[in-house]
Structures are given as structure tokens and as C-alpha cells.
Amino acid sequence: MFKYNLKLAFKSLHYRTGLTALMVATIGIGIGMLMTMVTIGHQARKVPLPGLSDQLFLVRMDSRHADARDVTLPQRMVNLTYRDALNLFNAKTVASQQTFNFKVFPILDAQEESSRPIQAMVDATTASFFDMFGARFIYGKAWTKSENGAPVIVISKKTNDQLFGGRDSIGEQIVVGTGKATVVGVLDDWSTPRRIFDGSYSSSRFDDAFIPYQFALDINAQRSQRMSCHPQDAGKRLAFTTTDLQGLLSSECTWVNFWAKIDNPADAQQYRAFAEQYVVEQKGYGRFPRPILNFILNIDEQYAMARFGGGRQETLNLLAYLFFFVCLVNAVGMLLTKFLSTSKEVCLRRALGAKKKIIMGQYLLEVMMIGLMGGLLGVVMSFGGLTLMKHVRMYASDYTADMEVLNLAYQLDWSMVSASIGVAIASTIVVGLYPVWRIVNVSPASQLKGA
Amino acid sequence: MQTKQVLSTIRRNKATSLLVILQVALTLMIVSNAVFETMTSLALWNQPTGLAEKQLVAVRHQVFDPTVNVGAMIDKDIERLNRIEGVTATLLTSEIPLDSQRNNIHTVYLTNSADAKENYIERFDSSEALLGMIDATVVEGRNFNPSEITQGQFGQVSSNVSVVMVSEAFAKATFPDESAVGKTLWQSLGAEPVKIIGVYSDFLAGETLSNYHTIIRPLLIYRTDAELNYLLKLNVDWTKPLLDEITDVMYQTPGRYVSVVEALARPKKRMYDGRGSHSFTLLGISGLAMLITGLGISGLITFTVNQRKKQIGIRRALGGTKRQIVNFFIIEISLLTAMGAMLGVVLTFGLNYLMSDQSGTQSGLNWLPLILLIGAIWAVNIFASWLPAKRASLIEPAIVTRG
């Protein structure tokens, strides 16, 4: 019987081909639009560094001024002061490894005829950073723990391409701001569309190089102005980022990202207790004037709380859902038209003794096939939609965005492909229920007389 | 007469009627909100720049080699750049018009008292040549004299000035009823006052759109530890390779990094990129939604025509004209559209509330586009039901007699 139904369903698809095509197109366009927007969100929320994301904890502590505003969202909490970062880094904790980093913006110059200097975004960090974040090297390796103040540098693949034309540059000397450093490693691309390690989750520009933190301080490379200071230092930010290094290091300004790797996430509680104890201790020195509030969250937890894409993307998401709904309402109308135009046939079959169930089966099968085709078309559409949105984004960034990063962020994956087809079939069945119910309940013989 | 019949038909075909109403309401909700948001984000579209941005090029660079004599380098740069064929002038400026950076917002005060109001202004330090270069004009008072310009390295020469020029927009906003020329400003409380000697035509300062409040100080001061900006004016018919030539000339001096060499048309484009691309995406979605709705309505009317073949035949047999049949469907779709529009307006407001809640910015509810859109959807629906209605009118009266 199923085979017979299948045959009939296929035949019925051919009957009024135009209407079938229109229906498939409607569902396809709806699914395409929906999946384009959902995929953008899905890729944005995809947690990077699988396998490490539950072990890497970003440490933030409320060391702000007593009158500072209350903060409830962890992403709004300030980073650490240099002194706290150093204290935690040197403390014995349950974490297997710890690291910290801050951004500096020196100019890098290979001093070769063939390349021009670049203004680099550089992370000043510790030797443990590379292992903690699973960095992959094309050439060379990370510096060692004893070299946290040495004039060495690890550069990104892109920087190596720009400065050295992509060749093995290990051992080369390059100008780093007012100093010079030896290249010890060249990194491969990070396979994530977002920058994690600085807590920004930005998808715009990736770090060009990494240098030991003490070396960054020694050459007094220009630091990022993104820091939060106590009121008495608010006016000194410009000096702190350029000239007044000692002032910054001893100030209460927060500008250092701190990460702890806790191999067994269950030990996080122990680490949190340690951090709390640390704040209590510091309060004894008259620091940390506010109530204790530490946020020690792993990447998974941070991702669960973060809102990516912003208002504009959410608007598009909402519209895509509504648009899909319109397409479905549309499909109801078309299914009604299509099915009820075969009323006579159904009458005849019913009159000849076909059970309602069997007729229902046949029409549901047809609905499912339409859903399947709509879903497949939707996949093609969403591929096109994502490509389009990627180019829109490229245009919007004035062609400064990194195409490789965008490719990751606007990529269709198998979970989305199967979701498209699943949603298409399921929703077509739901909206098909009423038309199927109508056709099944056509009374036998009602239409036969005219035939 | 006809309307009454239509209403009863609508009542008898609840399902299809409801589908049309829903379709219209949802489409109106989507499209009108997309249009509202587009209008909000394009409200400041294509503001006059007040500049010859097509002929201007910004060069941003930084010296990292501490042994370079920056003052001598600047003189040499200007000489070399001006020698390039196609470059007509080169000028050192603290900020680039159209692309002034976010931290370039300064305060000025009208009085030197503790309760003085803060006026925000974007500041450009350059020479008397700036206005001529960007094609701005002096509308009142006078330009700087060459003798009023202070030149030199930051920290070695005083950056105090005694005279400034302000933009027309600032002058009008600050001194609404009188001339700004001759008035006094304070750049910070307790500082020496400065005198306004001239007012110039407005030019767009930068990212903060709609802001024409600017001030020019007669300072050609450079820092050795920060970015330096040159503004270049080119011949009207310049082509792309000229930018590469400028870059090459800049790199003839080692020990520096050139971050930007771009025509000012580019930062102008950047100002509108985000809002523009978002708006056009929204409009694209809207267009598709209208199309889908049109197709759906067309399908539904075809369906009702098929359903009512017999009634139509009877009407024709009883003397109904083809015109009346077509009219019947047009009235039906119009009534349904009106009902859908009413529901749609309610939904539109709901979605608008939801969206402004999400994006944090209120996109303006606006009746005029709403009414225009209802008209547009109505037109699409009539267009979509025209063909099926026409087909219905061709049903032969004889169909009744067959049954």
C-alpha cells in the first residue's frame, strides 16, 4: 500500500507542476532566509577550542573604586591590575597553568628591502600562553618560562607572510617598537572566528604577534587605552599608555587579562575560594574597597552569557522567523488549492472503499516530499544567502575584514543542513494538517454526480 | 449591495479568509518595521560634507626610529610630495576632516566661571591653508595670517593660541543672534581666553554624523611619539596609481610606518557602510516578503475560484456580467486586505516595541509610510487576484446546467 501511495504522491506532485514548484520555492526561500540568519548566530555561538573550553577560566575581580557602579554581568567586570595579575601568576593554586596578557601596539619591521613595516597588534604574555590555548606552530616553538623577559617574538602566519614572504623566519631579528627581538616561532591560523584570549571575542582583527610581557614593558611599547582606572588616575590614561610605565604598574588601573587552566572543572570551586581569600588579604592592605565580587568563568560559561551580533543581527533574526512564518501561511493556501482540486478523485476512491487513513497517508507523503524538496532548495538558498551576507559584511567593514575569518563565520555546516531539511519537513507537515484534513473529509459521492 | 454578498461569502469561507488576513497582517508587520528601521538609519544619509573629498587624500604615518629628526623630515616630505605630478598641495594637520578620530571631541566654554556650560567641538590644528585646500570658505571675519601660525615640536613650542576660527554651525548654535567674530572662548577653565577671528563654511568632521561643530587653531605642531597626518590635494583627474606613488615617496624615509594613504571618499563611505548595508538587507527581505505574499494571495484566489465555480456559473446564468464577477473578487480581496491591515497595524506596533527593546534604539513609528505600505500591499493583492478573477469571469453559465 505504501508503494502505491508513494506512486500516487509522485504522480500528484506532477499534477499541477506549477503550483508544486511555487510551493517548493516558497518553502525554500523561507528556509533559506531563516537558515542564513540562524547559521550566522550558530557560528557566532559555536564555542571555540573544543576540549579546552571548559578548562580555561578568565579571572576578573572587582578591584574598582568604592563609588564605582554595580556590575552584574561578568562581561562588564574589569580585568586585573598588573600587580594582581603578577601576584596570582606567582601564587600556588589548583590551576595547572596560568597566564596573563595585555595588548601593545609596536611597529614591526624586518628591515628588509622586500617588506615594509607594519603597525602590529601584539599580545604581551607569558610562555605558558601557547600551550594553554593550544597554539599550533608552523615554524619554531614558544619561548620558555625563563625567557619571559627575553627579546624574542612569536609572529602570526599573516605577519610572517608580510614581513618575510612566508619563509622560515626563525632566528631573524626584527624591530619591535624601540627594541629588537628574535623570531622564535611562527603560528598557524587559529581555527576560530573569534579572538578569545583577550576576552574581547572580537571577530575583526587577529593578533599579529606575541612577545614576553617583561620585554613589552622594557621597550615601553604603546599600550591599549582600554583600561579602567580609579578616579584619581582617570586623567593619566594617556600618559599611562605611552610614557608613564611605572605609574601604571603601581596604579589601580585594570588592563590585564588573566587566565587559569583548571584541568578538572570540579576544582574551579577551589580556585574561586583561593581568589576570594586573595581579595580578603588585599583588603587588609586597604585595597579592593568594594564588596568581594569575582567572576571566574570558563569559555563555555562566558559563551552561554555573551550576546553576539548585536541589535542589528537580532533584528534580522526576528524578521527571518516572521518571514518563514509568512511563507508557511502561504504554503497552507497553496496546499489547499492543490489538494482540493483533486476532490473528485478522492471522492471516487472513497466511494470505491478506500479508507480515510490510506488517503491521509498518501497526502501526508506528498506534503513530506514537498517539505523535503523545499528543505533541499532552502539549503542551496541559505548557501547563497550566507555568501551574500558575507559580502555585505565585507563591504560594511570597508574591506578590512579578514576573508578567512569571515569564511568561518558564514559557513554552513552539517548540523545546519540537517536542521534546514528537518525544519522544512516538520513545518510543512504541521501546516499541511489542515489541507489534508479538508481533503480527507470530502464526503464520498458529493462530487461524483457532475463527473 | 455587492459588499453585503462579499461579507457573507467571507463568513462562509472562514479558513481561506483567515489565511489572507493573516498573510496581509504579517507582511505589513515585517515590511513596515523594516522600512521604519531603514528610515531611521538612513535619516542622516548623504549629508553634505562641505569638502572637496574627491580631490583630498589622507596620509597617516608614524616614526618609530628615535634617531629621525621629525621636524626636518616633515619639511622634506612636503617638498617631495608636492613634487609628485598630480599633487597640488600638502599640509600637516592634527586631524583629517571627514575622518577625525573619536577622541577628538573637546570642550570649549563661553565664560571663565565654574558653572560655565560645556560645548563640544571637534578640533583641527593646521595653518591658514587648510580652508582653501578643502574648498571651505570664510563666511565672516578673516582667515589666519601666516604670522599667527605657531610651528614646531610638541613640548618645545607653546601650543597656546590667542586666535581661532569656528564653523558656521557652531557659531550659529552658540551665538544665535549676533556675530561670533570678536567673541571669546575658553578651551579650559582658568586658561587664557582665545578670540574668534573668523567663521568658515561647515564641513563634516568625522564619524559623529551630523556634527558640523568644529574649531581650527593656528598650530602646526607635531609629536614624535604619535601619528602624524598629512592632507594632500590632488588634481581632479587623479587615478589610483597616484596613491601608490605617494606611499612610495613616504617610504623613501626609513624608520617610519605609513598606516593610511586613502582618498577621503573612503572614510565617507565608511560612515555609511554599516547603516547602509543593514538597511539594504532589510529592504531586500521586505521585497521578498511582498513577492511571496503576492504569490500566496494569487494561489488562494485561484483556489476560491475553483471552489466557487458553480456559484459563479449560477450568477452568470442569472444575468451577472463578467465585470460584476471580477468586481466581486476585487471587493473581497480589498475587504480582506483592510481587515488584515487593521490586524497588521496592531502587530506592527507590537514588533516595533519588541525590536526597539532588543536593539536599544527606538526606530521611529511613522504613519505616512505605514499608510503607503498598506496601499502598496493592497495594490499587490489586487494585481495578484486580477488573473484568477478574470478566469472566474470566463466560467460558462452552462456549467450549472451540467450538474
Side-chain angles (χ1 to χ4, degrees), chain A residues 47-65:
Chain A
V47 178
L49 300 181
L52 284 172
S53 58
D54 61 337
Q55 298 173 8
L56 291 172
F57 289 76
L58 182 65
V59 180
R60 286 179 165 167
M61 298 173 156
D62 194 353
S63 64
R64 296 174 304 152
H65 187 254

Short mmCIF file of all heavy atoms in Angstrom, two decimals, chain A residues 47-65:
data_model
loop_
_atom_site.label_atom_id
_atom_site.label_comp_id
_atom_site.label_asym_id
_atom_site.label_seq_id
_atom_site.Cartn_x
_atom_site.Cartn_y
_atom_site.Cartn_z
N VAL A 47 31.29 27.35 20.36
CA VAL A 47 32.36 27.56 21.33
C VAL A 47 33.69 27.14 20.72
O VAL A 47 33.83 26.04 20.19
CB VAL A 47 32.07 26.76 22.62
CG1 VAL A 47 33.20 26.95 23.60
CG2 VAL A 47 30.76 27.20 23.21
N PRO A 48 34.67 28.04 20.75
CA PRO A 48 35.97 27.71 20.18
C PRO A 48 36.76 26.79 21.10
O PRO A 48 36.37 26.56 22.24
CB PRO A 48 36.65 29.07 20.05
CG PRO A 48 36.03 29.89 21.12
CD PRO A 48 34.63 29.39 21.31
N LEU A 49 37.85 26.28 20.59
CA LEU A 49 38.74 25.41 21.36
C LEU A 49 38.02 24.26 22.05
O LEU A 49 38.07 24.12 23.27
CB LEU A 49 39.51 26.21 22.42
CG LEU A 49 40.39 27.33 21.94
CD1 LEU A 49 41.07 27.99 23.12
CD2 LEU A 49 41.43 26.83 20.96
N PRO A 50 37.30 23.44 21.29
CA PRO A 50 36.63 22.31 21.92
C PRO A 50 37.68 21.45 22.65
O PRO A 50 38.77 21.27 22.15
CB PRO A 50 35.99 21.56 20.75
CG PRO A 50 36.69 22.04 19.54
CD PRO A 50 37.16 23.42 19.83
N GLY A 51 37.34 20.99 23.82
CA GLY A 51 38.30 20.18 24.57
C GLY A 51 39.06 21.02 25.59
O GLY A 51 39.53 20.50 26.59
N LEU A 52 39.18 22.32 25.31
CA LEU A 52 39.87 23.19 26.26
C LEU A 52 38.90 24.19 26.89
O LEU A 52 39.17 24.77 27.94
CB LEU A 52 40.97 23.98 25.55
CG LEU A 52 42.25 23.23 25.20
CD1 LEU A 52 43.15 24.10 24.33
CD2 LEU A 52 42.99 22.83 26.47
N SER A 53 37.75 24.38 26.19
CA SER A 53 36.87 25.49 26.56
C SER A 53 36.30 25.36 27.98
O SER A 53 35.93 26.35 28.58
CB SER A 53 35.73 25.60 25.55
OG SER A 53 35.01 24.39 25.50
N ASP A 54 36.25 24.14 28.51
CA ASP A 54 35.72 24.03 29.87
C ASP A 54 36.85 24.09 30.91
O ASP A 54 36.59 24.08 32.11
CB ASP A 54 34.91 22.74 30.03
CG ASP A 54 35.75 21.50 29.78
OD1 ASP A 54 36.78 21.63 29.08
OD2 ASP A 54 35.40 20.42 30.29
N GLN A 55 38.09 24.16 30.44
CA GLN A 55 39.22 24.18 31.39
C GLN A 55 39.86 25.56 31.52
O GLN A 55 40.64 25.80 32.43
CB GLN A 55 40.30 23.19 30.94
CG GLN A 55 39.82 21.77 30.91
CD GLN A 55 40.85 20.84 30.30
OE1 GLN A 55 41.98 21.22 30.04
NE2 GLN A 55 40.46 19.59 30.09
N LEU A 56 39.54 26.45 30.56
CA LEU A 56 40.19 27.76 30.57
C LEU A 56 39.28 28.78 31.24
O LEU A 56 38.19 29.07 30.75
CB LEU A 56 40.52 28.18 29.15
CG LEU A 56 41.62 27.35 28.49
CD1 LEU A 56 41.75 27.68 27.02
CD2 LEU A 56 42.95 27.54 29.19
N PHE A 57 39.74 29.32 32.35
CA PHE A 57 38.93 30.26 33.14
C PHE A 57 39.52 31.65 33.07
O PHE A 57 40.71 31.85 33.34
CB PHE A 57 38.86 29.80 34.60
CG PHE A 57 38.03 28.56 34.81
CD1 PHE A 57 38.51 27.31 34.46
CD2 PHE A 57 36.75 28.66 35.34
CE1 PHE A 57 37.74 26.17 34.65
CE2 PHE A 57 35.97 27.52 35.54
CZ PHE A 57 36.47 26.28 35.19
N LEU A 58 38.67 32.61 32.68
CA LEU A 58 39.08 34.02 32.70
C LEU A 58 38.79 34.55 34.11
O LEU A 58 37.72 34.34 34.65
CB LEU A 58 38.28 34.81 31.67
CG LEU A 58 38.59 36.29 31.52
CD1 LEU A 58 40.00 36.51 30.99
CD2 LEU A 58 37.58 36.96 30.58
N VAL A 59 39.79 35.22 34.69
CA VAL A 59 39.66 35.67 36.08
C VAL A 59 39.43 37.18 36.12
O VAL A 59 40.23 37.95 35.57
CB VAL A 59 40.94 35.33 36.88
CG1 VAL A 59 40.81 35.80 38.32
CG2 VAL A 59 41.19 33.83 36.82
N ARG A 60 38.34 37.58 36.70
CA ARG A 60 38.08 39.01 36.86
C ARG A 60 37.70 39.29 38.31
O ARG A 60 36.98 38.51 38.92
CB ARG A 60 36.96 39.46 35.91
CG ARG A 60 37.48 39.52 34.49
CD ARG A 60 36.42 39.94 33.52
NE ARG A 60 37.07 40.31 32.25
CZ ARG A 60 36.43 40.50 31.12
NH1 ARG A 60 35.13 40.37 31.06
NH2 ARG A 60 37.08 40.83 30.04
N MET A 61 38.20 40.40 38.83
CA MET A 61 37.95 40.74 40.23
C MET A 61 37.56 42.20 40.33
O MET A 61 38.08 43.04 39.60
CB MET A 61 39.24 40.55 41.05
CG MET A 61 39.75 39.14 41.06
SD MET A 61 41.36 39.12 41.86
CE MET A 61 41.39 37.42 42.38
N ASP A 62 36.64 42.46 41.23
CA ASP A 62 36.19 43.83 41.39
C ASP A 62 37.14 44.60 42.30
O ASP A 62 36.98 44.65 43.52
CB ASP A 62 34.77 43.85 41.96
CG ASP A 62 34.15 45.22 41.83
OD1 ASP A 62 34.86 46.15 41.42
OD2 ASP A 62 32.95 45.36 42.14
N SER A 63 38.17 45.22 41.67
CA SER A 63 39.15 45.98 42.47
C SER A 63 38.88 47.47 42.30
O SER A 63 39.74 48.30 42.56
CB SER A 63 40.57 45.65 42.00
OG SER A 63 40.73 46.09 40.67
N ARG A 64 37.67 47.81 41.84
CA ARG A 64 37.41 49.20 41.48
C ARG A 64 37.23 50.09 42.72
O ARG A 64 37.23 49.62 43.85
CB ARG A 64 36.16 49.26 40.60
CG ARG A 64 36.36 48.53 39.27
CD ARG A 64 35.07 48.46 38.48
NE ARG A 64 34.01 47.85 39.26
CZ ARG A 64 32.73 48.11 39.10
NH1 ARG A 64 32.36 48.98 38.19
NH2 ARG A 64 31.82 47.52 39.84
N HIS A 65 37.03 51.34 42.43
CA HIS A 65 36.84 52.34 43.46
C HIS A 65 35.53 52.11 44.19
O HIS A 65 34.59 51.54 43.64
CB HIS A 65 36.85 53.73 42.79
CG HIS A 65 36.83 54.85 43.76
ND1 HIS A 65 35.71 55.60 43.98
CD2 HIS A 65 37.80 55.34 44.57
CE1 HIS A 65 35.99 56.52 44.89
NE2 HIS A 65 37.25 56.39 45.26
#
